[in-house]
Amino acid sequence: MERIYLDDAVLISVLDSISGEKQCNAKFLAGKVIHDKMNRFRVGKSLITVELELCGEDVFLTKDGDLFETDNSPCITEVSCAEFLLMRINSFKLTQILAMRQNTNKAKLISAFDD
């Protein structure tokens, strides 16, 4: 099975915050493509995989059967479902999501979406 190789990979845990509990419902891998023999993804492109089926130290299998390998052992970052949707739908990067979390000026944060 051909692998897709990622650089600067991060394992994203999407949390379900029902009843104040933090439960991980789904895991995804995000990173920059450095090699893809199948030419499905452009080298240098950042991507978020579909939901992961199996996770190893640096090898990951998606529910669609794609195999990804990372050049690092990815750290795990927990995000809410809303944050994940911003990443998936609006192409926000994880660094942008984390910066939004730190922003205490809500008016400035909201105006950033007016552009």
Side-chain angles (χ1 to χ4, degrees), residues 19-54:
S19 306
E21 293 181 25
K22 289 175 104 178
Q23 286 184 290
C24 175
N25 283 343
K27 289 188 178 172
F28 301 83
L29 188 65
K32 185 172 28 169
V33 177
I34 55 175
H35 186 66
D36 177 11
K37 286 185 180 179
M38 299 177 294
N39 294 320
R40 290 180 51 211
F41 302 101
R42 183 174 39 92
V43 172
K45 179 185 189 244
S46 293
L47 62 81
I48 299 173
T49 66
V50 297
E51 188 174 350
L52 297 174
E53 181 77 28
L54 297 170

Side-chain angles (χ1 to χ4, degrees), residues 6-111:
L6 299 179
D7 188 25
D8 299 327
V10 176
L11 191 59
I12 299 172
S13 256
V14 180
L15 300 176
D16 180 16
S17 58
I18 295 174
S19 306
E21 293 181 25
K22 289 175 104 178
Q23 286 184 290
C24 175
N25 283 343
K27 289 188 178 172
F28 301 83
L29 188 65
K32 185 172 28 169
V33 177
I34 55 175
H35 186 66
D36 177 11
K37 286 185 180 179
M38 299 177 294
N39 294 320
R40 290 180 51 211
F41 302 101
R42 183 174 39 92
V43 172
K45 179 185 189 244
S46 293
L47 62 81
I48 299 173
T49 66
V50 297
E51 188 174 350
L52 297 174
E53 181 77 28
L54 297 170
C55 299
E57 187 173 321
D58 61 354
V59 178
F60 304 86
L61 180 67
T62 67
K63 288 195 174 189
D64 286 352
D66 291 323
L67 191 60
F68 288 85
E69 186 170 335
T70 61
D71 68 344
N72 62 314
S73 184
C75 64
I76 299 172
T77 302
E78 296 177 337
V79 298
S80 69
C81 186
E83 290 171 328
F84 183 74
L85 289 173
L86 282 172
M87 292 175 68
R88 181 69 79 153
I89 296 169
N90 292 343
S91 300
F92 278 85
K93 294 184 179 172
L94 183 59
T95 54
Q96 292 172 302
I97 296 295
L98 297 176
M100 282 186 241
R101 282 186 189 174
Q102 301 302 317
N103 190 326
T104 57
N105 184 340
K106 303 303 180 203
K108 184 176 180 182
L109 181 61
I110 291 167
S111 69

